[in-house]
Amino acid sequence: MDLTDDHLTTQGLEAEGRGRLLLIACGALAHEILALKRHNGWDHMDLQCLPAKLHLYPEKITEEVEKAVIAQRAKYDRIFVVYADCGTGGLLQAKCADLGVEMVAGPHCYAFYEGLDRFAAHEDEISAFYLTDFLVRQFDAFVWKPMGLDRHPQLRDMIFGNYIKLVYQAQTDDPVLRAKAQDCAARLGLTYEYRFTGYGDLKASLEKQAATH
């Protein structure tokens, strides 16, 4: 099992082919889901992750999730999709309903990490740019290079001119990641804010699924 961030970004994670419940998730959530599985002894859960780079092409997410569900559904009693809307404009929710599978609620992982109600209460955060543990580690792969800032740093002000702050939603209390997130904010010319969220509603959603037989 290759759990390097680069592999999760480009290849994802294959299911082991065992367990009653299959979680189909984004590769950016692999470490957190596996940590929750280990901590809670959820041995009846299996995990398949699609490549995290799909978030650079949200129009492809619905189709790839559908393919995974169809390919795996005969092997498991239930499937739970661990994607929020993630920029699909409601298409993923509609497809999951058609396929008869449940999915995580919310517009994106930033909302369910913090908790949907708490996130919605931040009325002033239209000007905030968010990073999670995974995105801090993969900042160059998901932000700096895809936006062309490695080649054309002058684009920074054009792309991020309407942002005020970078919010690091931390799943773990890691001083190395905190320092790196602060550096990311400096590279983007944004004010830095650290916000420890832990696993938020992701934990609650998986606990609910674990208790469903």
Side-chain angles (χ1 to χ4, degrees):
M1 182 185 295
D2 190 340
L3 291 174
T4 61
D5 288 330
D6 287 344
H7 189 84
L8 293 171
T9 294
T10 60
Q11 304 298 319
L13 179 69
E14 291 296 323
E16 295 182 350
R18 58 183 177 83
R20 300 192 305 274
L21 169 63
L22 176 65
L23 307 175
I24 296 178
C26 171
L29 306 179
H31 292 294
E32 289 73 23
I33 293 173
L34 290 173
L36 286 166
K37 282 179 79 266
R38 287 192 300 270
H39 179 76
N40 292 283
W42 292 335
D43 296 330
H44 65 298
M45 288 184 179
D46 196 7
L47 175 63
Q48 175 177 346
C49 289
L50 303 183
K53 68 178 182 180
L54 283 176
H55 276 291
L56 298 173
Y57 317 97
E59 71 278 3
K60 298 181 179 181
I61 292 176
T62 300
E63 179 183 359
E64 293 303 315
V65 169
E66 179 183 19
K67 288 179 182 177
V69 170
I70 292 172
Q72 297 284 16
R73 70 187 323 162
K75 303 175 185 177
Y76 298 88
D77 294 341
R78 290 189 299 117
I79 292 176
F80 183 62
V81 174
V82 196
Y83 274 88
D85 182 75
C86 299
T88 69
L91 294 177
L92 182 57
Q93 177 67 66
K95 180 56 65 177
C96 285
D98 288 344
L99 293 168
V101 297
E102 293 183 66
M103 63 178 277
V104 168
H108 40 62
C109 64
Y110 312 121
F112 69 62
Y113 268 140
E114 186 158 352
L116 299 183
D117 293 339
R118 289 183 61 189
F119 188 86
H122 295 300
E123 297 178 357
D124 62 336
E125 297 212 339
I126 192 170
S127 60
F129 185 75
Y130 296 91
L131 295 178
T132 62
D133 282 8
F134 182 86
L135 291 176
V136 170
R137 294 193 300 267
Q138 291 290 89
F139 180 78
D140 284 345
F142 276 84
V143 180
W144 204 251
K145 291 180 180 178
M147 293 183 179
L149 295 171
D150 58 326
R151 303 178 303 280
H152 306 287
Q154 68 275 13
L155 293 175
R156 185 190 70 174
D157 292 342
M158 182 176 71
I159 297 172
F160 289 93
N162 292 323
Y163 289 95
I164 295 173
K165 64 181 177 180
L166 181 149
V167 177
Y168 169 31
Q169 294 182 324
Q171 284 70 68
T172 56
D173 185 10
D174 185 330
V176 174
L177 288 182
R178 292 178 72 163
K180 185 171 182 180
Q182 195 159 7
D183 177 67
C184 293
R187 290 167 68 182
L188 296 178
L190 302 177
T191 301
Y192 171 69
E193 180 178 331
Y194 174 80
R195 190 179 295 166
F196 182 78
T197 65
Y199 300 133
D201 285 351
L202 174 64
K203 179 175 181 287
S205 295
L206 295 187
E207 285 174 340
K208 180 179 179 182
Q209 292 300 313
T212 302
H213 299 288

